[in-house]
Amino acid sequence: MSIPDLIDADTLSATLAEALRTGGDFAEVFAEDKASTSAYLDDGRIEELSSGRDRGAGIRVVRGETTGFAHTADLSATGLAAAARAAAAAAHRDDGRVHEIALVAHDVAHPSPPSVRPGDVAKADKVALLLRANDAARADAPEISQVAVSYGDSRRRVVIANSDGLLTGDDQTRTFFSVGAVATGDTGMQTGREAVGHTVGFELFDRYDVDELGRAASQRARTKLAARPAPTGEMPVVIGPGGGGVLFHEACGHGLEADLIAKGASVFAGRRGEKVASELITLIDDGTVGGEWGAYAVDDEGTPAQRNVLIENGILTDYMWDFLRARKEGRARSGNGRRQSYKFLPMVRMTNTFILDGTDDPEAIVAGTDHGVYVAKLGGGQVNTATGDFVFGMTEAYLIEGGQITEPLREGNLIGNGPKVLANIDAVGNDFAFGPPGTCGKDGQGVPVGDGVPTLRVTSLTVGGQAA
Amino acid sequence: MSDELLAIADRVIGWARDDEQVEVVVGRSTETEIRVYEGDVESLSSAGTAGVGVRVIAGNRQGFAYAGSLDADVLGEVLAEARDNATFATPDEFLGLAEPDGVAVPTLDLYRESVASVPTADKVAMALELEAAVRAADKRISGIESAEYADGIGEGVVVSTTGIRSVGRESACYVGAYPLATDGDETKTGFGFSVGREPADLDVAAAATEAAERATRLLGAVKPSGGRMTVVLDPFVTAQFLGIVAGTMNGEAVNKGRSLFAGRLGEGIANPMVTLVDDPTDPRAYRATEADGEGLATRRNVLIDGGRLEQFLHNTYSARRAGAVSTGSAVRGFSSTPGVGARAVQLAPGDDDQPALVAAVGDGILVSSVSGLHSGVNPVSGDFSTGAEGLRIAGGSLGEPLREFTIASTLQRMLLDIVAIGNDVEWLPMGAAGVSLVIRDVSVSGT
């Protein structure tokens, strides 16, 4: 793969030189060209096809501890120079020197280049998928009162050049499909959703049958019609394979981001080398897992993605790093510097975050739980990294009674404290699976992330149900 | 300024064919964001964003495209792409662009020149002053995760072949701090902020006091015992709750059977003391605006009147489908077609301040913050469950801090279980104003 041709190397060099004119000690140009298509079916109708194009560059200048940043949608040499001057304005120390930046190109292969570019697929073929999933979700299911189906693809080409001489880029294609169904019964309405998304092209649909996705969403909504209110209080919780990666994303992932560590805003600060979790837990963040939602060749600062072991057999081994934090600590970056788009500064973010397989038999984990909750799918979550307190939603959950999965439960939140929960994991299965695609939000920026877990049990979490 | 945006929109409209309706939205914004850390500028971002979105309706089919650029050469491409996209949509007789409806566009005075003219150095100084003030407020403040100043100016135009020609410009600015408070080996966080139309509106001292108070008052928090009890929601929490309630009154969700209040117009759905309005013409509201996303005048809409469900919010399409008229509630940016949304929800206030409400409750919990609203609330089924922190209410007074508990009920029950509304209306940087709210019989999980 070659570096996308968004801005020529001479213009990049000149822009970096302009950016350093006020005495900055580091400058960077991040250029992005993103084309996206989305199609939406609701209420039985193809409501909308939408196409979007976002193109621009973000320029940052670092001087000591201060970063200046500006972005522009104008990729001409003049537009870039103006943005470079705006970014440089934050560093008032005109050294009068003329800078020359020699750029050296680094090609990094993408872990999963698309085999079928969505841009080459006829719109009619995308629309046909929506109709099929809608029909499948409604077939033989009179309780299904509404279905929405969504298709999306994007191609994001980026170029990163910096004053250290780096010139690199990436070409990221992502394809997404989701079905949301509403079932109506005597007890009111319930919802069910099924979503798949991978860092691949239109070949996503060789891997998934949209009829199956439609039926899965429909089944989930119908099952919940008979659901009873979730219990209230502390109890054992078993998380199903692939359904609960968000637990680790929230319970410890964010707390291992070096920017929060540096500000003392994490319960995991200063704990490298210490035991922070059950010895059954090995936590990985890996942007090189081909096809997963958080995969890429290089991060948004030009660092190649890599596999980072964060917790090994319960011992905290390392944090995740971006350029600024790694520079300050005098260590290597870990490929975790990401941004939502050229309009934002990068910061430390997760990629694909997951727990490695254990040795327990998943069925035995459930059978060994006398009373508790089985969560097949967790929804979104949120964490306060400074206290470790986190919360996440159960979108598909069941009661466990006498070692058996019994009745479905209505939605609710689970809450816990990261370090406590990590210590209280007493069983990890051997049935690892990646979960559905996620969007991780931090400081107002959303980036695509993946996660995964095998079946595992937490001995005590607080279930926030409505039952007294 | 906006003449340039109108000229761009007019140019695209000039290319419309006789057999199609075309709507062009052009938006442009500039933003400044300054973050300080330990007495220094950590980052200073200044940026401009602009773009154009085109909606085409032809043969009862709708297509849309946008570009994050105002370059002359992209305009034709965007229109062509929107036209092409329309050919794949299912025909829908209710589609159609907004038409002038005779409602006068209010003049709200939402723009201040000073946002652009105040020197950056003065804005940096405000952020530094805030950080220093939070540190000085309490010796238990152990760090400031971030202290920031941010402002923005947004302008937008909507022009259509159906006679819409709307221009708007707004400014906003903000200071906020996120401190850490430490006592022994325990750390808690808080936040405080101040918002306004221009830098002179900002109250840095009040933001600092609030941030320090929120961070320190949870030190020593314990997990409460569970049960069903009465809770008092802090204004900040109420505003989030009202935002979710207003979402269930979205006409588009109602039309499609995704609202738990569909088919219930005219019925009592809340305690009779509850009157809820969405009024984007109130200039105190953070999201006040003169015209909606389709260029129609915004207006005051009563959603719940004395406990009775009065009306739903609509844009042009959802209104036509429901046999109603648009309530001027189209929301969008240049990169999307208009949805439906509330902008400035407020609850008619009651007579008592928060201490009086707490005294009347006797025993319960004051909920000062919630988390996981996006994951624990289902606006279709009404199931409501959220993580929470707060203070115990015992004997009519505030007691020890509480953490790591959940509050749960259903949206339907919570509206009926409202037993008192405070008089302490707070205008917050979100789509609803806050006020203290007392709700009984909420399920609290704890030990």
Side-chain angles (χ1 to χ4, degrees), chain B residues 192-213:
Chain B
F193 55 82
S194 173
V195 293
R197 295 269 162 223
E198 61 184 325
D201 293 341
L202 300 176
D203 188 338
V204 172
T209 305
E210 186 194 1
E213 264 179 25

Side-chain angles (χ1 to χ4, degrees), chain A residues 34-38 50-54 152-155, chain B residues 66 81:
Chain A
K34 183 174 176 181
S36 52
T37 305
S38 65
S50 171
S51 317
R53 186 81 184 265
D54 288 288
D153 63 54
S154 67
R155 182 180 184 189
Chain B
Y66 79 90
E81 193 67 24

Side-chain angles (χ1 to χ4, degrees), chain A residues 19 32 45 129 154 160 201 259 265 291 307 418 451:
Chain A
E32 177 180 48
R45 281 189 282 262
L129 294 173
S154 67
I160 301 108
D259 47 355
R307 178 184 176 92
D451 61 46

Side-chain angles (χ1 to χ4, degrees), chain B residues 5 11 27 46 58 108 114 122 127 134 190 197 199 211 217 244 259 266 268 272 336 372 387 394 413 431 447:
Chain B
L5 302 188
R11 189 150 169 241
S46 59
L108 302 180
S114 64
D122 293 3
V134 177
R197 295 269 162 223
R217 76 176 178 182
I244 292 168
S259 167
S336 71
R413 286 192 47 175
T447 54

